[in-house]
Amino acid sequence: MRFELLALPALAAASVPFHSNRAPARRDTSRADAIKEAFSHAWDGYYKYAFPNDELHPVSNGYGNSRNKWGASAVDALSTAIMMRNATIVNQIIDHIAVVDYSKTDTTVSLFETTIRYLAGMLSGYDLLKGPGAGLVDDSKVDVLLEQSKNLADVLKFAFDTPSGVPYNNINITSHGNDNATTNGLAVTGTLVLEWTRLSDLTGDEEYARLSQKAEDYLLHPKPAEYEPFPGLVGSNINIQTGQFADGQVSWNGGADSYYEYLIKMYIYDPERFDLYRERWVAAAESSIKHLASHPETRPDLTFLSTYHDGQFGLVSQHLTCFDGGSFLLGGTVLDRQDFIDFGLDLVVACHETYNQTLTGIGPEQFSWNPDTVPDNQKELFERAGFYIDSGTYVLRPEVIESFYYAWRVTGDETYREWVWNGFAAVNKYCRTGSGFSGLKNVNAENGGGWDDNQESFLFAEVLKYTYLAFAPEDEWQVQKGSGNTFVYNTEAHPFKVYTPQ
Ligand code: DMJ
């Protein structure tokens, strides 16, 4: 096991040795400051070279517009900037949001990506600034976040206008067209309901909740029965005309992932209205432990989740999938189920190995543990680590660090907080450029195989938020052990205030 701190190029980290003799509180402040410094570094580069475009190209200092050209990085950065109490950046972002015209774009719009990054970024900013972040900026500026959330949802809502109510994901907001898809994916269909329900609860306009919950209903009552091969575990695609499942391909990997994530989070948001969601998450979690838990031949001590289709188990997982440990830990602590907490920790330990065993200390995009298909040049890795790499890229994803954060919050065990720090240190060492942070081409090569020259907006929303929260002061928005959460995080790490009846 490798536990040493990777050297940090930034000023803040240089003063924070891993084996520090300082009192924990003081050390944690230094670490929180180092993470805030990384956030400011990324923001300054984005603001200088890319704003108000969607994302920075942090090597060439150009920019991209992969998310509708509405300033995705700015909107995605808002909740983290509030939690870091950086009033300057928060003001810059709100001033930008106030002038975005959400009715105009020249690109195809993803309902899912636009919901989880833009709609959620604004709603979360509103919840935080009306709640524990109040006073950070002039209160008269905050209402625009809810107004613009409503404007955006009004532009998007035609997507749900289908025979079943299952939306199209890829839409043209000018022509009200779509990509003529016959099916929609499980994750993109099932990762709207928290944001659209929150919008209804804040505005009093029931339409948004109704639309998203109608689509979700097909997922909660899956038909035909054969496409729910194990209780709670469902297929990956839904017919847009009928609302019926179109296959029985089960996984927690990308494409399915955040459907499961939102089941337990909806229950936390409002246990009264969303008890069926809890029931479905518990069924999925129990079935996953029983049927999908898989231990690599060369490392039987590790536990990953396999996929399942037509009697076959697929021994492949992803960086994206590593949110699973956090989901089991959150569900386990909220429902007081030690078996879920224990299983969540097993998943966290295995995902930690995907970081711990590479040359950079960062995990790959996709990995496998099928002993029959190990490439010759990865036999040593498979023997040592229990997995081999299918895709070695790293695009600044958060899921492994996110689950470390949940493990730390739920258990209080410092080990997991050190894993958060090591993950941050590795990202700071290998991904940091002169103007921000770049994805890597190969996490298991010298220097990460080079930079991909892209800084995804979720660097701001997720990676730097979960790392910061692990070292930040106690606050109402921190994930709590047990059932006392007053905030629940959307899949892009934007915290929403849990529902309280008026
Ligand atoms: C983010 O947009 C969200 O976390 C989503 O659920 C999955 N993909 C990225 C991060 O990897």
Side-chain angles (χ1 to χ4, degrees), residues 112-113 116-117 257-258 320 397-399 458 462 491-492:
F112 163 77
E113 296 288 359
I116 68 170
R117 302 192 201 210
D257 46 4
S258 42
L320 284 164
R397 293 198 190 281
E399 293 80 12
F458 45 70
E462 302 199 71
T491 193
E492 190 83 355

Side-chain angles (χ1 to χ4, degrees), residues 366-381:
Q366 182 157 305
F367 52 94
S368 310
W369 59 102
N370 181 345
D372 301 331
T373 50
V374 190
D376 282 346
N377 63 355
Q378 294 201 62
K379 287 206 166 16
E380 186 277 326
L381 177 65

